[in-house]
Amino acid sequence: MMELNLSGAPDADLIKDSDEASFMQDVVEASQTTPIVVDFWAPWCGPCKTLGPQLEAAVKAAKGAVKMVKVNVDEAQMIAGQLQIQSIPTVYAFHKGQPIDGFQGAQPESEIKAFIDRVVKSAGGEAPGEQLDEAVAAAEEMLAEGAAADAAQTFAAILGEDPLHAGAYGGMVRSYLALDDLDQAEALLNGAPIEISNAPELEAAHAQLELARQAADAGPVAELTAAVEANPEDNQARFDLAQALYANGDAEAAVDHLLDIFKRDREWNEGAAKTQLFTIFDALKPNDPVVLNGRRKLSSMIFA
């Protein structure tokens, strides 16, 4: 089991309020050692009430690689004028006493995280997003090597740091699929945060779950192959054979049989062959040769 070493400064040391009297010390001088993100806000500013907590969460996730100072512009009009702040919320990042990045207005959570990553990297630190991505890569390696239980624990630890990390969430679902715990995998997918529910990583995990459910009911390959050879026009037998082949790890042959059905009768069983093809494509990696070749062949048939 991999240990995540993401410890850092206590939250109380990361975020503070400042004003004109202490701005030089809290921001300009403090940024000589650690980049400082300054949130210019006001009590009457609606978007500030959303951005502020999101920014605080991203700063805390950086575990001390960046700190945050909050400045009420109503009480710091001279500072706001010097920095030419035209509207709020406005966010500036300072390093070595100088502004190095910034933005105005409310932002999606993903953009806020990307901003914090940029600030940390520009100051020579390791961005929290990169740190978590490295942990995800290590967990994926565990999963590929068959250590699904350890992978699931590592993915869970990553989600403890960032509950909206789609890569880690999808990886945890696939870990339970590898452990043959389909019910737990389905429960995780059903309980996914709305912000990442449509992420490609979760779409892939959902497709893999659907295929795993099918695999439990798949027939024997030898018997189905014989049935198809005896009657090549039997689309149902060919469809069942494709499911059995995929369940036995032969995705390429499964795709070939589904393409054969589509070529013979694209509307058979309400377009079941095309639907199954897309499920397989979603379950595999986008750059998998089976996906690339299958999509190309399917497109040529559709637009022929």
Side-chain angles (χ1 to χ4, degrees):
M1 163 82 190
M2 175 186 176
E3 294 292 335
L4 292 183
N5 184 17
L6 300 172
S7 61
D11 291 349
D13 297 334
L14 298 178
I15 300 165
K16 66 188 301 184
D17 291 297
S18 186
D19 53 27
E20 289 184 345
S22 59
F23 188 86
M24 184 64 68
Q25 177 182 345
D26 293 341
V27 178
V28 177
E29 294 177 8
S31 70
Q32 297 295 330
T33 54
T34 304
I36 306 293
V37 170
V38 186
D39 177 21
F40 293 94
W41 68 285
W44 44 265
C45 167
C48 297
K49 297 175 183 178
T50 300
L51 177 64
Q54 290 177 327
L55 198 56
E56 289 185 27
V59 168
K60 290 175 183 178
K63 300 294 182 181
V66 62
K67 295 183 179 181
M68 177 177 171
V69 169
K70 298 184 289 184
V71 176
N72 182 345
V73 294
D74 287 348
E75 300 173 358
Q77 294 184 13
M78 185 177 70
I79 297 293
Q82 290 175 340
L83 292 172
Q84 298 182 335
I85 294 174
Q86 304 296 324
S87 64
I88 54 173
T90 289
V91 176
Y92 278 123
F94 284 76
H95 183 52
K96 300 296 184 183
Q98 299 294 324
I100 60 170
D101 204 342
F103 63 86
Q104 288 185 334
Q107 300 288 323
E109 195 162 4
S110 60
E111 292 297 325
I112 294 172
K113 290 180 180 179
F115 170 74
I116 295 298
D117 281 356
R118 288 200 310 272
V119 171
V120 173
K121 288 181 69 175
S122 67
E126 184 177 23
E130 289 184 344
Q131 211 172 357
L132 292 180
D133 287 343
E134 290 173 5
V136 168
E140 289 286 2
E141 188 173 343
M142 293 178 198
L143 188 55
E145 293 174 352
D150 286 346
Q153 291 180 20
T154 304
F155 285 128
I158 296 166
L159 290 169
E161 297 291 333
D162 181 3
L164 300 180
H165 197 297
Y169 206 100
M172 187 161 67
V173 173
R174 288 185 286 105
S175 297
Y176 282 102
L177 290 177
L179 292 167
D180 204 28
D181 191 344
L182 306 189
D183 290 340
Q184 178 62 19
E186 185 171 17
L188 284 168
L189 281 171
N190 290 338
I194 188 66
E195 296 89 341
I196 60 172
S197 59
N198 293 321
E201 295 89 344
L202 271 71
E203 295 286 354
H206 189 277
Q208 291 179 22
L209 172 62
E210 185 175 343
L211 292 169
R213 294 283 192 202
Q214 293 175 3
D217 299 323
V221 171
E223 290 183 15
L224 290 168
T225 299
V228 170
E229 290 175 349
N231 183 8
E233 302 295 330
D234 187 344
N235 287 335
Q236 185 62 58
R238 193 178 293 275
F239 187 86
D240 293 344
L241 174 58
Q243 288 188 333
L245 287 166
Y246 188 90
N248 281 272
D250 195 345
E252 184 174 9
V255 167
D256 286 343
H257 281 290
L258 292 167
L259 287 169
D260 192 294
I261 295 172
F262 186 82
K263 184 177 182 180
R264 292 169 185 272
D265 182 1
R266 63 180 62 190
E267 299 302 329
W268 174 78
N269 197 15
E270 298 182 346
K274 182 180 177 182
T275 299
Q276 185 74 355
L277 281 167
F278 281 130
T279 300
I280 292 175
F281 295 158
D282 287 344
L284 300 175
K285 293 181 179 180
N287 61 349
D288 190 308
V290 173
V291 176
L292 297 176
N293 292 331
R295 286 190 183 278
R296 178 178 53 80
K297 292 177 181 178
L298 180 60
S299 295
S300 69
M301 293 179 191
I302 292 174
F303 297 108

